[in-house]
Amino acid sequence: MLPCLGVAASALAQTTQRPNVIFLVADDLGYGDLSCYGATRISTPCVDSIAANGIRFTDAHACASTSTPSRYSLLTGEYAFRRPGTDIAPGNEGMIIKPEQYTMADMFRSAGYRTAAIGKWHLGLGSVGGQQDWNGELDWTPRDIGFDYHYLMAATADRVPTVFIEQGRVANHDPDNPIYVSYSSNFAGEPTGSANPELLTNLKSSHGHNQAIVNGIGRIGYQKGGGRALWRDEILADTIIAKSVQFMAECGDQPFFMYLCTNDPHVPRWPADRFRGQSVLGLRGDAILQFDYTVGEIARALDSLGIADNTLLVITSDNGPVLDDGYQDQAVALCGTHKPGGPWRGGKYSMFEAGTAVPFIVNWPARIKEGKVSDALVSHIDDIASFAALIGAEIPLGAAYDSQDHISTWLGEDTQNRDFVVEMAQSRALSYRVKYWKYLEPSNGGATQGQTGIETGYSSSPQLYNIRTSKYESNNVYSTQTAMARRLSEQLAQMRQPLTSADTCFWYYLYTPDRPRYATSQGAGQGMTGETAPQGEASQWKFVLRADGAYDIINRADNSYIAPGTVTSPAAQMKTSATQPTTGWTLTTSGQMSCLFAVTNGTSQLNQSETSNNWRILNWGNGTNTSDAGCKYAAVFAAASSETMTPTAITTPELQRGELEVRNGKFVLSGNGRDVEVFAINGRRVVPTSLSRLHGVYIVRDGERTWKISF
């Protein structure tokens, strides 16, 4: 689980029979949409029953306020802001999680579990976006990232293709009606919602959603054909339930992990006939009732299969709620006093809390004997590490490095808060939550999203809120609480940086996604180029933190340094150096730069030429250009190695808690006062604050020896 060190997972799994695990994710379900979370205009008895006998969390967070990046982080244990291409995906996007990446499904499968992804996907399919053969077999599918079985909607119900994908092929494929998909132009003769509104017989569009028409409902994107493979929205939930129950039944005695994602209550809201008209909240309320029914059917199936007692069920949502998201379904008009975001401000797409504050319920009858409510701060980013600790799995070097083990909190055995939660809005601007404070970085964009009416939280000025006294984020105290503002803004700035070699052994690509090109060394003392594809280790770099807080950027292939140079006009090609430069590089980034870096050293700044044949990396000039596509880099994780620390480095017994202390702002061994370094389970150096903040397994080093210590 620890990069560079072969540390075993928590001993929790050694004393507990490994449970089946169902991670059930609703789509756009708000914190306040369930009666167990305070809703009074709608009743969700099935979810309420699960919560009453489990742990219900009141301060749980998705990693982003939109679907694709939220689900990316959930499955990989890596914050989506670290990787370009994780924005809301079109229905014909290529696979966003690549086969070489490690996922939660890989982790479960490595421990002998059978794994499945059923329902909404929205993480891309196929190796190349827009070039999928929907009438054949897709080359990249969830099978390539750890799922034994999948039955999926490619994206969302309001996007084409409107077919299910089973084991890499369109389910119920109709060879007489081949299916074609485009997000750029319509197919000749095909009606659209904008040109043929009379064909919108089930739902009419309120904004967008007026291209292909399927089942009397307008969609995003163009589609032709499909025949009997096309879904009907009114049976989506029943189909997902049936496939889920079938998968569980087929597992027999083998433990399983099921990533089960409903469409409800995402648009278009067109639930089964038996639910329509049953809620005073209109179709959105009807869809929530259908979601509650789905939960009930899964619970009943577990009972009938005799496996309910030893199945850990998590119920949550991918992001916050939205009312008018493109269809005339009266969600706004009928909402009344219902508060889909609960006590939080904002909603889907937003930087404010309702964008990521989600229901989070953990139920496991074999271990959780009575219902509890926990106000611990928890996050979806910790799914992999927590489940790995639960089942005794080891996470490989370099995988899931943002994820931490909080399984004891999830099971109600303690109330340990996560130290911080990072939240990403639709614009990729970031917020940083600790238990009672929240910092919103400066960002671009309007204060209100025009089509949905949701408050975005975007502002050119930073914001700071005391969540204890201003849960609704109505009192910005950034200008008066200067110490807290500085602390949280600095911590967020540090989170944006790549992990340094002093803390880890991670290698990164320096990548300009707007070009796109990979910065590549041509050898020590030679020029740098931007290549269309990585050139092995020559395109991999590590970041070594210098004493002055800047970075040395070192190439993996030749150990050369990116060297600042003299600014010239026209700009000269950047070169690498076999020796360490006298000054290091600064990575400047903010929400106003869409989470990308400007790599600067005084007057030197990395940029990429558009005119030369080999796209040279140039010394741009005065170090102030943050708008040109060629100077905005992302540090994208490439590989991990263990040249600095090895699994055999741990040769001494474990330290006892009393042998480590914090003295004068440093970690020291209490016996001899010797300074030591402490590393968390994900490989990041721990800041010496208070030992009471430590939770789990840590690594202690004094330069010569290495120990484990448990808290």
Side-chain angles (χ1 to χ4, degrees):
M1 292 185 62
L2 178 68
C4 309
L5 286 168
V7 179
S10 165
L12 178 63
Q14 298 174 11
T15 60
T16 304
Q17 181 183 355
R18 293 182 304 168
N20 305 305
V21 176
I22 301 175
F23 206 89
L24 198 162
V25 184
D27 199 352
D28 294 356
L29 183 75
Y31 180 99
D33 279 329
L34 302 171
S35 44
C36 59
Y37 277 91
T40 58
R41 301 194 72 219
I42 193 167
S43 177
T44 51
C46 297
V47 175
D48 292 0
S49 175
I50 300 295
N53 294 284
I55 313 297
R56 180 173 65 86
F57 289 86
T58 61
D59 203 0
H61 290 262
C63 299
S65 60
T66 55
S67 175
T68 300
S70 170
R71 294 163 189 265
Y72 174 89
S73 295
L74 184 159
L75 287 175
T76 64
E78 178 188 61
Y79 285 117
F81 73 80
R82 300 192 188 279
R83 191 173 293 261
T86 53
D87 298 302
I88 301 174
N92 65 345
E93 182 62 84
M95 283 264 288
I96 293 170
I97 303 175
K98 306 306 181 187
E100 65 269 18
Q101 291 180 260
Y102 191 82
T103 69
M104 186 155 54
D106 288 319
M107 184 272 295
F108 274 106
R109 190 158 67 175
S110 73
Y113 278 65
R114 188 159 186 248
T115 58
I118 298 176
K120 174 177 172 173
W121 183 239
H122 209 186
L123 288 165
L125 294 166
S127 59
V128 181
Q131 298 184 26
Q132 298 93 340
D133 178 8
W134 299 107
N135 301 294
E137 184 170 5
L138 299 168
D139 56 346
W140 286 5
T141 74
R143 288 178 296 188
D144 295 293
I145 56 172
F147 289 102
D148 296 310
Y149 176 74
H150 62 268
Y151 191 91
L152 303 169
M153 305 161 63
T156 54
D158 60 340
R159 287 170 169 81
V160 298
T162 53
V163 293
F164 280 102
I165 309 298
E166 184 173 29
Q167 298 300 79
R169 293 181 177 272
V170 170
N172 303 312
H173 180 258
D174 188 344
D176 295 328
N177 289 280
I179 185 169
Y180 301 96
V181 172
S182 173
Y183 274 75
S184 59
S185 60
N186 194 20
F187 298 96
E190 292 297 311
T192 65
S194 58
N196 307 95
E198 72 281 1
L199 298 180
L200 300 176
T201 54
N202 282 334
L203 284 174
K204 297 187 182 301
S205 305
S206 59
H207 52 83
H209 300 82
N210 59 1
Q211 294 175 329
I213 302 174
V214 180
N215 197 31
I217 299 172
R219 316 286 168 156
I220 300 172
Y222 302 100
Q223 180 175 287
K224 177 182 178 180
R228 63 173 178 265
L230 298 176
W231 69 48
R232 290 189 294 122
D233 299 77
E234 57 268 36
I235 63 170
L236 282 177
D238 287 338
T239 301
I240 291 169
I241 292 168
K243 290 296 180 180
S244 300
V245 173
Q246 177 182 338
F247 169 76
M248 292 189 291
E250 291 175 349
C251 287
D253 294 333
Q254 184 179 8
F256 65 81
F257 163 65
M258 182 164 59
Y259 174 60
L260 170 57
C261 301
T262 72
N263 179 68
D264 296 319
H266 193 282
V267 295
R269 299 158 187 144
W270 195 247
D273 292 349
R274 62 187 183 277
F275 296 107
R276 291 205 297 275
Q278 299 304 303
S279 168
V280 296
L281 300 179
L283 286 169
R284 185 173 186 275
D286 297 341
I288 294 172
L289 296 180
Q290 184 168 258
F291 170 76
D292 188 64
Y293 170 80
T294 297
V295 172
E297 288 300 288
I298 297 300
R300 280 185 279 274
L302 291 172
D303 282 334
S304 66
L305 293 170
I307 57 175
D309 192 55
N310 199 41
T311 296
L312 191 159
L313 170 64
V314 175
I315 300 172
T316 189
S317 181
D318 61 346
N319 49 250
V322 56
L323 297 180
D324 181 358
D325 207 20
Y327 295 94
Q328 298 177 34
D329 57 12
Q330 295 187 287
V332 175
L334 297 176
C335 188
T337 59
H338 179 65
K339 296 181 178 180
W344 311 104
R345 185 178 182 181
K348 182 179 180 179
Y349 310 113
S350 175
M351 293 183 77
F352 288 130
E353 284 296 88
T356 63
V358 292
F360 193 80
I361 298 165
V362 180
N363 180 286
W364 183 12
R367 285 291 297 273
I368 301 172
K369 298 301 184 182
E370 60 181 14
K372 298 179 182 178
V373 176
S374 174
D375 70 349
L377 183 67
V378 297
S379 171
H380 284 174
I381 197 67
D382 295 329
D383 295 340
I384 293 186
S386 299
F387 284 137
L390 175 71
I391 65 174
E394 286 197 18
I395 295 177
L397 184 70
Y401 57 85
D402 286 315
S403 193
Q404 301 174 4
D405 170 19
H406 284 276
I407 191 62
S408 59
T409 301
W410 288 19
L411 297 179
E413 295 168 355
D414 63 40
T415 57
Q416 181 79 22
N417 292 304
R418 202 180 200 280
D419 288 343
F420 63 89
V421 166
V422 178
E423 309 163 5
M424 190 176 86
Q426 183 182 20
S427 70
R428 300 186 74 85
L430 301 182
S431 306
Y432 190 86
R433 255 293 303 275
V434 294
K435 182 56 182 173
Y436 295 118
W437 294 89
K438 179 176 177 180
Y439 169 74
L440 287 72
E441 68 178 357
S443 58
N444 298 319
T448 302
Q449 191 179 65
Q451 294 178 323
T452 65
I454 290 173
E455 292 183 285
T456 62
Y458 303 155
S459 172
S460 59
S461 299
Q463 302 167 69
L464 178 70
Y465 298 99
N466 184 330
I467 297 298
R468 191 198 298 264
T469 61
S470 181
K471 179 174 282 192
Y472 195 70
E473 298 169 88
S474 56
N475 182 25
N476 182 7
V477 295
Y478 180 84
S479 61
T480 57
Q481 297 291 330
T482 54
M484 181 59 66
R486 181 172 59 254
R487 172 190 153 194
L488 297 189
S489 62
E490 289 176 352
Q491 289 176 354
L492 178 58
Q494 183 59 45
M495 276 298 298
R496 284 184 173 280
Q497 307 299 303
L499 301 181
T500 66
S501 64
D503 295 344
T504 66
C505 44
F506 288 176
W507 297 94
Y508 291 88
Y509 297 123
L510 268 176
Y511 174 65
T512 50
D514 292 339
R515 281 282 141 95
R517 289 293 187 273
Y518 296 83
T520 302
S521 172
Q522 300 301 308
Q526 303 299 311
M528 292 175 58
T529 58
E531 304 292 340
T532 56
Q535 304 298 303
E537 293 185 354
S539 297
Q540 295 179 16
W541 307 85
K542 69 178 177 182
F543 297 80
V544 178
L545 193 63
R546 300 166 62 106
D548 61 2
Y551 293 100
D552 286 326
I553 306 177
I554 304 173
N555 188 259
R556 186 175 186 181
D558 54 35
N559 291 315
S560 64
Y561 297 77
I562 299 180
T566 303
V567 175
T568 61
S569 182
Q573 186 175 17
M574 296 293 298
K575 294 185 177 181
T576 58
S577 170
T579 58
Q580 181 185 27
T582 57
T583 57
W585 295 92
T586 299
L587 308 183
T588 304
T589 187
S590 75
Q592 295 168 316
M593 289 179 61
S594 299
C595 302
L596 303 179
F597 297 106
V599 185
T600 61
N601 177 311
T603 58
S604 292
Q605 180 169 359
L606 268 66
N607 201 345
Q608 290 190 14
S609 167
E610 290 188 87
T611 57
S612 61
N613 292 333
N614 61 354
W615 290 65
R616 293 186 179 95
I617 308 296
L618 301 180
N619 185 352
W620 180 259
N622 63 8
T624 62
N625 178 25
T626 59
S627 59
D628 183 78
C631 77
K632 293 199 297 184
Y633 284 85
V636 178
F637 174 76
S641 60
S642 55
E643 69 276 3
T644 56
M645 296 156 60
T646 66
T648 58
I650 302 177
T651 57
T652 57
E654 292 191 6
L655 286 179
Q656 301 303 309
R657 295 187 187 185
E659 296 180 70
L660 181 69
E661 62 181 81
V662 176
R663 188 184 303 169
N664 298 323
K666 297 181 179 180
F667 284 118
V668 299
L669 297 179
S670 57
N672 55 23
R674 185 167 181 173
D675 292 354
V676 293
E677 299 171 304
V678 178
F679 298 86
I681 197 70
N682 66 354
R684 183 182 286 276
R685 189 194 304 272
V686 176
V687 177
T689 53
S690 169
L691 296 182
S692 64
R693 297 173 68 87
L694 302 187
H695 177 69
V697 177
Y698 292 82
I699 305 304
V700 178
R701 291 197 307 172
D702 68 357
E704 298 177 359
R705 293 163 296 173
T706 305
W707 301 269
K708 287 190 296 183
I709 187 170
S710 299
F711 286 89

